[in-house]
Amino acid sequence: MRVVVLSFIFLISSLSSKAQNPVLAVNRVDKFTKELIKQTSLYSFKDGSTTKLHFNVRSVDENHYLQFNVPQAVTIKKGTEITLIMGNGKTLKLVTDNDIISLNESDISKRMIVCTLDEAGIAALLNQEVVSIRVPTANKGILNLNLAAKDKPMIRTAMGLVSPKLVAKK
């Protein structure tokens, strides 16, 4: 009996520790503004066992946003350029729409770096995988993250969830 219980606990803990693909977490019409709001679940990019960056994609009507969270006490100023290296070697530069100032480790999970996407950015993210992300910070230097093979299609997958009119390239 103990073996069965321990096996069950081990199975549950191993399944919950794996990162899940982004799913559509919000898909509703705001009752006051009548805007269609879609948002994917948060996905974590890891370097080994350490989480380096979280992301999700949000759309409000025709406006799309790529949102990041750095799980460290970092300062990122409005207008900072986040660089995404695409699978074809081209770069996509995203400009942050807001300031992030985390004073200590207790407030790191509350703030998302918001980057507005234009039509060219949306098309690039739907048609290519992201292989590397570079996030400059004011106090911790530059966060460079080379994505693992399993993480490369995740931003593309999330973009496809919030942009049903735009078909992802196979």
Side-chain angles (χ1 to χ4, degrees):
M1 182 67 177
R2 287 184 198 172
V3 173
V4 172
V5 171
L6 289 175
S7 298
F8 181 72
I9 291 172
F10 177 73
L11 177 66
I12 295 297
S13 65
S14 67
L15 289 176
S16 65
S17 67
K18 284 188 158 189
Q20 304 224 349
N21 290 348
V23 296
L24 196 58
V26 176
N27 186 10
R28 65 179 172 82
V29 175
D30 187 275
K31 57 183 161 179
F32 297 108
T33 63
K34 306 298 184 220
E35 295 172 319
L36 175 61
I37 300 169
K38 293 182 180 184
Q39 184 171 325
T40 64
S41 59
L42 205 60
Y43 184 83
S44 301
F45 291 127
K46 295 185 177 193
D47 186 8
S49 63
T50 305
T51 300
K52 294 289 187 176
L53 190 67
H54 305 285
F55 92 93
N56 71 10
V57 179
R58 180 178 175 88
S59 72
V60 179
D61 283 338
E62 299 300 318
N63 302 313
H64 291 74
Y65 308 94
L66 186 56
Q67 302 180 131
F68 297 102
N69 175 272
V70 179
Q72 298 175 22
V74 296
T75 299
I76 299 172
K77 298 292 184 182
K78 180 179 180 177
T80 301
E81 280 191 352
I82 295 176
T83 306
L84 306 178
I85 308 295
M86 309 304 285
N88 61 2
K90 294 183 180 178
T91 61
L92 177 62
K93 298 209 183 265
L94 304 175
V95 178
T96 60
D97 295 345
N98 59 333
D99 289 325
I100 300 295
I101 300 171
S102 296
L103 301 175
N104 57 39
E105 299 296 322
S106 66
D107 67 350
I108 60 175
S109 64
K110 299 175 186 168
R111 305 214 173 111
M112 296 296 285
I113 306 162
V114 179
C115 301
T116 301
L117 296 170
D118 58 9
E119 290 297 322
I122 294 168
L125 291 172
L126 280 169
N127 293 324
Q128 290 289 320
E129 295 179 340
V130 175
V131 297
S132 180
I133 302 172
R134 180 180 181 193
V135 181
T137 67
N139 62 335
K140 300 274 181 158
I142 296 173
L143 170 70
N144 285 309
L145 181 61
N146 293 317
L147 302 182
K150 68 178 182 59
D151 292 337
K152 290 178 182 178
M154 292 305 152
I155 292 178
R156 183 175 164 189
T157 300
M159 285 301 302
L161 291 171
V162 299
S163 303
K165 293 189 327 183
L166 303 171
V167 179
K169 186 178 172 183
K170 298 286 185 219

